[in-house]
Amino acid sequence: MGTKELLDEAMKLKPEERFSLVEGLIKSLDEPDKKLDEIWAEEAEKRLNAYRAGKLQGVPMEEVFKSK
């Protein structure tokens, strides 16, 4: 069953059932992804090590958030 067919079927549900379906779908997108968390942790560690070794320069917070 494709997305269009699923949507058509969902629209036949009572409003509270549709709400429950939407809530479940949103929650499923918000679940942590351990693999992605590991990738980001490794990247953060590499950047911190590069910064400490003087291979990477920091940018002042004021510069990052200043309006253009």
Side-chain angles (χ1 to χ4, degrees):
M1 185 178 294
T3 306
K4 171 103 173 70
E5 291 83 12
L6 283 171
L7 182 59
D8 290 343
E9 288 301 311
M11 293 306 290
K12 295 175 185 175
L13 298 171
K14 296 176 185 175
E16 59 271 6
E17 292 172 322
R18 290 196 314 255
F19 177 80
S20 179
L21 177 61
V22 168
E23 186 176 39
L25 288 170
I26 290 172
K27 282 183 181 178
S28 76
L29 294 173
D30 198 29
E31 291 180 5
D33 183 334
K34 288 184 181 185
K35 178 83 172 161
L36 208 63
D37 290 345
E38 289 173 14
I39 292 169
W40 274 114
E42 288 175 20
E43 181 64 25
E45 191 70 31
K46 287 179 189 175
R47 291 180 189 193
L48 178 59
N49 291 337
Y51 175 77
R52 287 180 174 164
K55 297 177 183 176
L56 183 66
Q57 291 186 352
V59 178
M61 182 179 67
E62 294 80 13
E63 183 71 23
V64 172
F65 292 107
K66 81 176 184 183
S67 299
K68 293 188 178 200

